[in-house]
């Protein structure tokens, strides 16, 4: 199944002679290389921190747009991709499962690939794609019909296509895959359709499956030897320990945001989504491994440890948000930690070696569903915080409650960043609440499996989005920036004491990493919901970000959607640079 593809032959040929293969070493060292970005997260740990300091608080006002590339056609919607750069070529994905290679100096297209999508795709939250992976001579990305596509990175021609899951069952893929130790690792989307989440590894050169690990207790994991599946243990040891009856067979826990990797412990970190259905009264128990963070052995997919943020989730508080590895010193000792800002409104710091809970605290202004966390990080539920059981009501739905945060989360998919110099995390977050109620529901293959209704609403008159600087050692909010519309784009931070993110109003913005002072803004013409990157080329520092309003907010936002209903869609890739004359210094390594 080959979609539309073409190359500007002379230009693509010229680039191919200069291009080099992307190695495992390149990917492992991506966080420290200045002239390339070859992993999702600007390094496998996902810190989104650049040590390049040419661009800084003194000169960021001189940052200039140098080119803008249009994704074209009528295919707009949300553009949540993170670009990648190698040997002067930028690789980026766009809505409706499209991929592009672009000359990073001029913005000229080298090739384009459009996946041929079937009519019956069932993406939950817009037709977005968050990015791809570079490896060898390949650019690999996933599609809305749950396939992996490997393209020759120099020509755009298809090398292989593999089906990861059946889209007719409700599966899709929107996350960027990652490469770890020569393996292509991917998750799946589809938690609203009663699928079973999983993490899988493939040979990036051939597309052959290497292992699979389901993320719902009771399902068998496998490794593949000579094309044959060999059992590798049941997730959780056995079925039904934390699920009633057979509900584990359609339990959800989609791994829809992809993962990060920590070389110190040789561990993949993946988050899992909501249990299915949303109506928690139908599935008493913790419902493992939904709404959790999983530590995975990259060799065979075995689960090393887990940490569940919302047991028996009844609010759609997916636990998929990125788990970012970082070190800090305490009492003269280095703590190997990992942090995540959960949809449920709590920020968690874990020991990444064993998953032990170190500390947790609210990072949003108000949480109604829980009164706090116990000594093990387990939520202490509010008696009146859970939507009522329809079985206790004479009507068709249970007693509604007002819950905060709303199900779109204190923080949703948009990645936060960690600055190694300030020691702070920069968290894109939102202040909103929801009316939520439960309804009767039964599973039907390929159909929505919710058992709940909801309406999201703002809680403040003048802002919804909040960019927060958070100290993970104390829980202190060091500074905050309030934005009228919800924040839905990723964050990047640099050694130049800068924090970059975008807004739905269309602005790419830069802030002082220590104080939160806004230092730069540029209007891209449509909402920025992508993740910015930075790199160096020809002695100058560049910044790139996709622009194109969309994603879950205008589709699921209820009363909040009224705030953004006039925002224009778009589909652009913007690239900026700091001219040499404005820099006044040499290139530093990242």
């Amino acid at each position: 199944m080959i979609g539309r593809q073409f190359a500007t032959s002379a230009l693509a040929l010229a680039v191919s002679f200069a291009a080099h293969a992307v190695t495992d070493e390149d990917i492992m060292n991506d966080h420290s290389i200045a002239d390339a970005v070859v992993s999702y997260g600007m390094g496998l740990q996902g810190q989104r921190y650049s040590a390049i300091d040419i661009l800084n608080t003194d000169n960021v006002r001189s940052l200039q747009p140098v080119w803008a590339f249009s994704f074209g056609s009528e295919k707009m919607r949300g553009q949540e991709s993170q670009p990648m750069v190698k040997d002067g070529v930028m690789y980026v994905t766009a809505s409706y499962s499209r991929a592009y290679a672009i000359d990073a100096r001029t913005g000229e297209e080298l090739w384009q690939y459009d996946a041929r999508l079937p009519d019956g795709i069932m993406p939950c939250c817009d037709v977005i794609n968050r990015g791809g992976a570079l490896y060898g001579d390949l650019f690999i990305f996933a599609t809305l019909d749950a396939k992996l596509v490997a393209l020759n990175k120099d020509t755009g021609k298809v090398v292989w296509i593999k089906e990861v899951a059946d889209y007719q069952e409700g599966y899709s893929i929107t996350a960027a895959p990652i490469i770890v130790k020569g393996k292509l690792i991917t998750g799946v989307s589809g938690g609203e359709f009663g699928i079973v989440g999983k993490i899988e590894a493939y040979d990036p050169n051939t597309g052959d499956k290497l292992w699979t690990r389901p993320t719902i207790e009771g399902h068998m994991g496998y490794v593949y030897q000579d094309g044959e599946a060999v059992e590798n243990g049941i997730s959780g040891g056995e079925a039904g320990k934390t699920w009633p009856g057979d509900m584990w067979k359609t339990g959800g826990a989609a791994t829809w945001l992809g993962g990060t990797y920590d070389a110190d412990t040789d561990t993949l970190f993946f988050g899992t989504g909501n249990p299915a259905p949303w109506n928690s009264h139908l599935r008493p128990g913790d419902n493992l491994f939904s709404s959790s963070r999983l530590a995975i052995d990259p060799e065979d997919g075995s689960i090393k440890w887990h940490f569940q943020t919302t047991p028996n989730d009844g609010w759609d508080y997916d636990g998929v948000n990125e788990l970012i590895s970082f070190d800090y010193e305490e009492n003269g000792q280095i703590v190997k930690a990992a942090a995540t800002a959960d949809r449920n409104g709590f920020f968690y710091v874990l020991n990444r070696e064993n998953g032990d809970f170190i500390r947790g605290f609210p990072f949003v202004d108000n949480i109604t569903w829980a009164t706090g966390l116990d000594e093990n990080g387990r939520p202490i539920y509010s008696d009146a915080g859970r939507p009522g059981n329809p079985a206790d009501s004479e009507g068709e739905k249970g007693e509604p409650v007002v819950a905060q945060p709303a199900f779109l989360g204190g923080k949703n998919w948009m990645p936060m960043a960690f600055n190694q110099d300030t020691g702070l995390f920069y968290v894109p977050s939102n202040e909103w609440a929801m009316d939520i109620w439960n309804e009767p529901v039964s599973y039907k293959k390929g159909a929505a499996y919710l058992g709940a209704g909801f309406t999201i609403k703002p809680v403040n008159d003048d802002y919804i989005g909040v960019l927060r600087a958070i100290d993970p050692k104390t829980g202190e909010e060091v500074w905050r920036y309030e934005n009228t519309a919800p924040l839905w784009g990723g964050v990047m931070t640099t050694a130049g004491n800068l924090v970059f993110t975008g807004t739905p109003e269309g602005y790419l913005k830069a802030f002082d990493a220590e104080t939160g002072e806004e230092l730069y803004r540029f209007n891209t013409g449509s909402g920025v919901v992508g993740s910015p990157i930075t790199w160096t080329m020809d002695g100058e520092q560049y910044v790139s970000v996709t622009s194109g309003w969309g994603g879950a907010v205008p589709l699921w936002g209820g009363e909040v959607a009224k705030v953004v209903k006039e925002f224009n869609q778009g589909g652009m890739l913007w690239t900026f640079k700091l001219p040499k004359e404005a820099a006044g210094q040499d290139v530093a390594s990242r």
Side-chain angles (χ1 to χ4, degrees):
M1 256 172 70
I2 298 176
R4 174 178 173 263
Q5 62 182 46
F6 61 85
T8 308
S9 56
L11 197 53
L13 185 61
V15 171
S16 69
F17 286 124
H20 301 91
V22 178
T23 66
D24 291 301
E25 184 178 10
D26 291 336
I27 296 169
M28 283 293 184
N29 294 327
D30 188 36
H31 61 283
S32 62
I33 298 173
D35 62 357
V37 177
V38 295
S39 66
Y40 186 78
M42 296 171 55
L44 290 175
Q45 289 183 314
Q47 291 185 350
R48 297 185 179 273
Y49 168 79
S50 170
I52 309 171
D53 60 2
I54 305 171
L55 182 65
N56 53 56
T57 53
D58 293 331
N59 58 29
V60 68
R61 290 177 177 84
S62 298
L63 189 65
Q64 300 175 1
V66 289
W67 55 260
F69 175 84
S70 172
F71 295 132
S73 78
E74 75 285 358
K75 294 182 176 181
M76 297 296 186
R77 305 285 287 272
Q79 309 296 344
E80 293 185 0
S81 180
Q82 178 214 289
M84 308 177 89
V85 180
K86 174 67 172 173
D87 296 326
V89 178
M90 186 174 293
Y91 303 88
V92 67
T93 60
S95 55
Y96 294 97
S97 305
R98 293 173 290 166
Y100 301 82
I102 300 159
D103 187 316
R105 289 181 173 83
T106 66
E108 292 184 67
E109 182 178 290
L110 305 178
W111 55 255
Q112 175 180 346
Y113 173 86
D114 291 0
R116 185 177 297 157
L117 297 173
D119 292 335
I121 58 172
M122 291 178 281
C124 148
C125 307
D126 209 356
V127 290
I128 58 94
N129 188 283
R130 297 189 175 97
L134 285 166
Y135 189 71
D137 294 324
L138 300 176
F139 178 72
I140 307 167
F141 78 112
T143 65
L144 289 167
D145 58 343
K147 292 182 172 64
L148 288 169
V149 179
L151 307 173
N152 182 288
K153 70 179 179 64
D154 302 323
T155 66
K157 294 188 180 300
V158 174
V159 177
W160 56 259
I161 297 177
K162 295 289 181 178
E163 181 181 284
V164 175
D166 184 356
Y167 75 90
Q168 294 179 311
E169 295 182 6
Y171 286 94
S172 58
I173 307 179
T174 55
I178 62 172
I179 301 287
V180 173
K181 300 171 68 175
K183 295 180 177 64
L184 175 70
I185 315 291
T186 186
V188 294
S189 303
E192 270 61 65
F193 295 94
I195 55 90
V196 172
K198 60 182 179 177
I199 305 159
E200 294 191 330
Y202 292 80
D203 183 326
N205 296 305
T206 64
D208 293 338
K209 190 182 295 186
L210 302 176
W211 54 256
T212 183
R213 171 54 53 191
T215 54
I216 289 290
E217 170 188 276
H219 294 268
M220 180 65 70
Y222 295 91
V223 294
Y224 293 83
Q225 300 174 359
D226 300 322
E228 297 294 322
V230 179
E231 292 186 354
N232 190 34
I234 295 173
S235 297
E238 61 182 275
K241 288 192 294 185
T242 62
W243 291 84
D246 288 340
M247 295 196 74
W248 60 276
K249 294 181 179 179
T250 53
T255 48
W256 59 264
L257 198 51
T260 59
Y261 172 74
D262 174 53
D264 289 345
T265 59
D266 189 24
T267 305
L268 288 163
F269 297 124
F270 268 74
T272 64
N274 59 281
W278 287 20
N279 183 346
S280 61
H281 299 283
L282 295 174
R283 42 174 176 76
D286 281 0
N287 312 140
L288 290 173
F289 292 98
S290 68
S291 299
S292 300
R293 304 308 191 280
L294 301 182
I296 302 290
D297 187 331
E299 291 303 315
D300 65 359
S302 299
I303 298 175
K304 294 182 176 184
W305 54 258
H306 78 276
F307 183 86
Q308 190 172 38
T309 47
T310 314
N312 192 225
D313 178 10
W315 304 268
D316 191 39
Y317 289 150
D318 294 43
V320 294
N321 289 354
E322 67 283 354
L323 187 63
I324 297 178
S325 302
F326 74 108
D327 296 339
Y328 68 92
E329 186 175 336
E330 189 170 73
N331 300 324
Q333 301 293 319
I334 298 297
V335 179
K336 293 187 179 300
T340 189
D342 200 82
R343 272 167 70 157
N344 68 19
F346 287 102
F347 191 101
Y348 299 83
V349 180
L350 309 177
N351 182 317
R352 70 178 185 265
E353 296 178 296
N354 55 26
D356 286 351
F357 175 71
I358 296 176
R359 69 181 62 88
F361 44 84
F363 68 94
V364 295
D365 293 339
N366 191 31
I367 294 174
T368 63
W369 65 277
T371 59
L373 303 174
D374 69 16
E375 62 182 8
N376 297 312
R378 188 178 179 91
I380 303 167
Y381 293 110
S382 169
D383 291 339
R386 187 180 294 271
N389 187 350
D392 297 335
S393 173
E394 296 181 0
E396 286 295 311
K397 66 180 184 180
E399 188 69 24
V401 299
V402 177
Q404 194 172 343
F407 75 89
L408 289 179
K411 176 186 165 312
N412 201 275
W413 82 274
M414 52 279 192
M416 64 184 183
F418 174 72
N419 190 300
Q420 298 174 12
D421 305 309
T422 65
L424 302 177
F425 280 89
Y426 301 95
V427 183
S429 63
N430 291 299
E431 295 291 336
W432 41 25
M434 64 178 172
D435 296 313
I436 182 170
W437 58 90
N438 286 322
E439 302 169 344
V441 68
S442 58
Y443 173 76
K444 180 180 179 181
K445 180 179 177 180
Y449 189 39
L450 297 184
F454 47 82
T455 300
I456 294 182
K457 54 190 179 183
V459 295
N460 301 296
D461 293 334
D462 52 352
Y463 69 93
I464 299 171
V466 184
L467 176 64
R468 291 173 157 98
I470 292 176
D471 187 334
K473 297 172 64 175
T474 66
E476 177 190 2
E477 181 184 278
V478 177
W479 58 257
R480 65 193 282 165
Y481 163 79
E482 296 172 354
N483 194 73
T484 303
L487 293 179
W488 209 251
V491 179
M492 171 186 72
T493 186
T494 76
N497 197 37
L498 294 171
V499 176
F500 284 88
T501 195
T503 73
E505 291 89 343
Y507 289 100
L508 173 68
K509 293 191 174 187
F511 302 86
D512 185 304
E514 294 181 343
T515 69
E517 179 187 359
E518 183 181 320
L519 302 175
Y520 177 84
R521 62 166 58 191
F522 179 88
N523 198 311
T524 65
S526 183
V528 177
V529 294
S531 297
I533 62 167
T534 189
W535 81 102
T536 60
M537 185 169 60
D538 304 327
E540 297 172 300
Q541 186 171 353
Y542 287 75
V543 174
S544 288
V545 70
T546 54
S547 167
W549 173 237
V553 175
L555 298 175
W556 295 75
E559 294 296 312
V560 170
K562 295 178 181 178
V563 178
V564 300
K565 64 184 177 64
E566 302 299 333
F567 290 175
N568 291 325
Q569 287 190 342
M572 298 286 287
L573 172 60
W574 285 88
T575 292
F576 307 79
K577 77 173 180 179
L578 181 71
K580 289 182 180 178
E581 58 270 20
Q585 57 179 303
D586 295 328
V587 176
S589 63
R590 179 171 65 97

